[in-house]
Amino acid sequence: MAKNIQAIRGMNDILPAVTPLWQFVEDTFRQLMKSYAYDEIRMPILEKTELFKRSIGEVTDIVEKEMYTFDDRNGDSLTLRPEGTASCVRACIENGLLHNQTQRLWYTGPMFRHERPQKGRYRQFHQMGVEVFGFAGPDVDAELIMMSARLLKNLGLADIVRLEINSLGVSEERQAHRTELVKYFEQHQDQLDEDSQRRLHSNPLRILDSKNPAMQSMIESAPRLADFMGEETQQHFTRVCDFLAEAGIAYTVNHRLVRGLDYYSKTVFEWVTDELGAQGTVCAGGRFDGLIEQLGAKPSPAAGFALGIERMVALLEGKNVSVNQNPDVYLIAAGEKAEQLAIVFAERLRDINKDLSLMLNCGGGSFKSQMKRADKSGARYALILGDDEIAKNSIAIKDLRENKPQIDIQLDDYSQIAKLMLNDEALLIDKI
Ligand code: ATP
Ligand code: MG
C-alpha cells in the first residue's frame, strides 16, 4: 500500500471537535465589528515579496527568516502573507480607499511564518485584524484598545489576560533614542547575546524585548524612549492613557514593549497571558502613521491590531469552555415507507423553523440501532416514524435526555409540530 501523505509541519487540520470553539471566537469577533460599525475587507493570501520587505522591515525576524517566499512561473518573487496589515494597506491604496476619507476595517484569514512549531506557534496560523485609516488623534487608539478589551471580555477571557501599552514616539524621536541606545549597548557589548550582537546596529530597539535572563538588568537600565519624546507625542500618549482610565480599563506601561515589526509609531499595545508559556501574546497592535507613505501613497495616519485565533482557542480550552453543537432533533425512520416520508417531513420542518438543527437518519438500520445513533448524536429529541406511526398517521416525539413518556402528534398537524419545533420547550415538556 502506498505511504500516507501527511500535512506540512506546523500547518494544522482544524478538526470538527474544535471548530465550535473557532466559530465562537469568529462569531464573537464579527458581532463586535458590527457593534463598532467596522467594515470587512478581504485580501489575497499571496502578495509580491517587495510589499512585506518594504512594510515590515528588512531586519525583522519575519522578513529575515520567517517568510514563505518563492518564484512563480513568471519568475516573480511572491510571498505567502505573514500578516495582514501590509496587504490591507496595499489594497486600500490600490483601490483609492484612503484618499480624503477615513476607513474602519477588519479582516480574517490564514497567515504564514516559517517558525519553529510549538504550542501556540504554527507555520500556518489565523488572525483576525482591525485597521483604521485617516484618524490622527488618540481617540481612535483608545477605541481600538477598548474594542480588544471588550472582545476578551465577551470571550470570557478577561481574567487571564492583561494589557501592556507603550509609545514608540515618532521617527525623529526614535532616531535620537537609537543613537543613545547603541552607545549604551556598545558599552555593555560583553553582556549581549548572539542575537543582540547581530541586532546592535541593524535593529537595536528589538534588544529591549529580549527575554534572555542574563541581559535583563542591563536592559532595564538602558536609555528609555520616553525620555526622548517631544510634547506632542507625550500628550498623545497621555490622552490614550486617560481614555483607558476613564473607561475603567486596567493597563501597565511597559517601556520595553517595542513590537516585532518596523512600521509602528506612537501607541503600541499587547494583551498578554501567563497561560500559554512563551507564547504569551494573544493580541497586539498599535499606530503606524508612516506606513502608507512608506508604501508610496500620500501620508495618512493609521492604527490597528491583530489577534491569533489559535491562541484564543487555546485559552478557551484551558478554561474548559465548550460550545454545544448537538442537533436539536434526530429523525428516526424504520422501514422503506417511513424513510420516504421522513425525508420529505424533515424538509418541511426545516421550512417551518430555519433555526432547527435536525439530523435525519441515513443508511437505514433497525429501530434499535437508529435509537443508538440518535443518542450518540447528542440530540435532545428523537422524532420516530415507524410502521405503527404511519398506520396512525402520526409521529412520536421522545425526550432523549429526560425520562418521560413519548407522545404522538398527527403527522399533518404541522402547526402543532411547528410549535414544538420552534424551540418552545415549555410546551413540549407540558405536553409530555
Ligand atoms: P510572538 O511574539 O508570539 O512571535 P508576534 O509579535 O510575532 O508574536 P504579531 O505579528 O503581532 O505577533 O501577530 C499578532 C498575533 O498573532 C500574536 O499576538 C499571536 O496571537 C498571533 N501569532 C503570531 N505569530 C503566530 C504563530 N506563528 N502561530 C500562532 N499565532 C501567532
Ligand atoms: Mg513572532
Side-chain angles (χ1 to χ4, degrees):
M1 223 163 73
K3 211 170 146 224
N4 286 348
I5 297 171
Q6 307 214 308
I8 297 166
R9 197 163 113 83
M11 305 207 176
N12 300 317
D13 301 307
I14 298 149
L15 300 176
V18 291
T19 47
L21 283 181
W22 279 68
Q23 289 172 9
F24 173 56
V25 174
E26 289 159 358
D27 293 349
T28 307
F29 183 81
R30 284 204 172 85
Q31 174 56 38
L32 185 84
M33 291 304 108
K34 210 170 158 192
S35 77
Y36 282 81
Y38 279 51
D39 299 318
E40 186 185 2
I41 182 167
R42 302 187 185 199
M43 298 83 66
I45 287 170
L46 269 180
E47 298 274 359
K48 291 186 181 150
T49 304
E50 186 59 22
L51 173 68
F52 302 115
K53 286 194 175 167
R54 245 161 82 184
S55 54
I56 296 168
E58 297 262 8
V59 282
T60 56
D61 282 351
I62 294 180
V63 172
E64 277 183 340
K65 47 188 188 197
E66 296 175 359
M67 294 205 301
Y68 278 91
T69 298
F70 62 94
D71 288 345
D72 77 355
R73 286 169 192 275
N74 302 329
D76 296 327
S77 180
L78 305 182
T79 294
L80 279 165
R81 64 179 183 195
E83 55 108 52
T85 302
S87 309
C88 183
V89 170
R90 196 265 315 132
C92 287
I93 294 172
E94 189 168 341
N95 294 286
L97 302 187
L98 302 183
H99 190 64
N100 289 335
Q101 42 186 327
T102 58
Q103 296 289 345
R104 300 187 203 211
L105 304 173
W106 66 270
Y107 58 81
T108 182
M111 307 294 162
F112 303 85
R113 295 184 195 176
H114 197 276
E115 303 196 70
R116 195 170 66 79
Q118 53 200 291
K119 190 176 185 300
R121 190 174 297 285
Y122 308 103
R123 291 183 172 173
Q124 172 171 331
F125 63 100
H126 298 76
Q127 285 185 339
M128 314 196 87
V130 172
E131 319 284 1
V132 299
F133 301 103
F135 300 94
D139 50 357
V140 93
D141 302 22
E143 174 168 284
L144 291 172
I145 295 173
M146 282 172 333
M147 175 191 272
S148 58
R150 184 176 295 276
L151 177 71
L152 289 157
K153 189 176 100 189
N154 292 353
L155 290 172
L157 299 174
D159 59 331
I160 52 170
V161 293
R162 59 183 187 277
L163 173 64
E164 297 190 349
I165 61 173
N166 192 22
S167 174
L168 296 184
V170 296
S171 176
E172 305 79 66
E173 293 157 1
R174 274 200 302 280
Q175 279 303 321
H177 172 237
R178 185 193 158 114
T179 309
E180 292 307 308
L181 202 58
V182 171
K183 258 192 228 160
Y184 176 85
F185 286 137
E186 275 170 352
Q187 282 160 11
H188 298 83
Q189 198 145 7
D190 53 325
Q191 293 178 48
L192 296 179
D193 60 17
E194 207 182 311
D195 232 18
S196 305
Q197 294 274 3
R198 198 169 49 82
R199 285 177 170 146
L200 180 55
H201 295 284
S202 57
N203 199 349
L205 205 58
R206 286 287 282 168
I207 299 176
L208 292 178
D209 73 353
S210 162
K211 305 283 186 294
N212 186 343
M215 288 166 50
Q216 295 309 304
S217 70
M218 183 271 294
I219 291 175
E220 203 44 49
S221 312
R224 297 186 175 190
L225 212 157
D227 298 328
F228 297 81
M229 270 196 267
E231 201 176 326
E232 203 275 329
T233 319
Q234 237 155 34
Q235 261 176 19
H236 185 104
F237 191 56
T238 306
R239 286 292 286 150
V240 174
C241 295
D242 289 348
F243 279 127
L244 295 180
E246 254 164 73
I249 293 175
Y251 63 87
T252 51
V253 176
N254 174 0
H255 62 90
R256 285 170 54 181
L257 181 64
V258 297
R259 310 286 306 114
L261 304 89
D262 274 358
Y263 52 60
Y264 286 109
S265 57
K266 289 189 178 165
T267 318
V268 289
F269 68 95
E270 282 189 359
W271 286 95
V272 292
T273 179
D274 296 326
E275 311 285 315
L276 298 177
Q279 278 58 254
T281 307
V282 294
C283 173
R287 181 164 279 283
F288 47 94
D289 289 340
L291 181 59
I292 292 162
E293 188 178 22
Q294 208 171 304
L295 289 177
K298 214 178 111 208
S300 169
F305 70 82
L307 61 93
I309 303 183
E310 282 81 356
R311 291 185 195 178
M312 291 292 170
V313 168
L315 289 182
L316 292 169
E317 283 175 333
K319 285 195 138 215
N320 289 322
V321 173
S322 66
V323 178
N324 178 14
Q325 280 225 324
N326 296 333
D328 302 315
V329 182
Y330 190 96
L331 178 46
I332 289 174
E336 205 176 307
K337 206 164 162 209
E339 275 176 18
Q340 217 164 53
L341 213 75
I343 205 160
V344 177
F345 187 69
E347 288 305 305
R348 183 78 181 99
L349 289 182
R350 294 189 183 104
D351 286 341
I352 292 167
N353 180 1
K354 68 173 173 41
D355 292 328
L356 182 74
S357 166
L358 182 153
M359 184 179 274
L360 172 68
N361 184 77
C362 285
S366 67
F367 175 74
K368 205 172 146 204
S369 67
Q370 293 196 35
M371 272 306 276
K372 267 193 195 153
R373 288 179 206 151
D375 189 46
K376 202 173 157 219
S377 77
R380 172 74 199 264
Y381 301 107
L383 280 172
I384 303 162
L385 208 53
D387 291 340
D388 288 356
E389 282 77 22
I390 291 175
K392 289 186 288 182
N393 195 34
S394 70
I395 189 162
I397 300 180
K398 183 170 172 51
D399 192 323
L400 292 169
R401 307 298 148 196
E402 277 176 45
N403 196 9
K404 290 177 179 160
Q406 74 184 46
I407 56 166
D408 284 334
I409 297 175
Q410 281 309 107
L411 245 189
D412 48 10
D413 190 357
Y414 281 114
S415 72
Q416 173 69 354
I417 294 167
K419 264 191 220 152
L420 297 178
M421 294 299 123
L422 283 167
N423 296 336
D424 193 347
E425 273 193 23
L427 188 123
L428 191 54
I429 305 297
D430 278 358
K431 277 286 279 193
I432 292 172

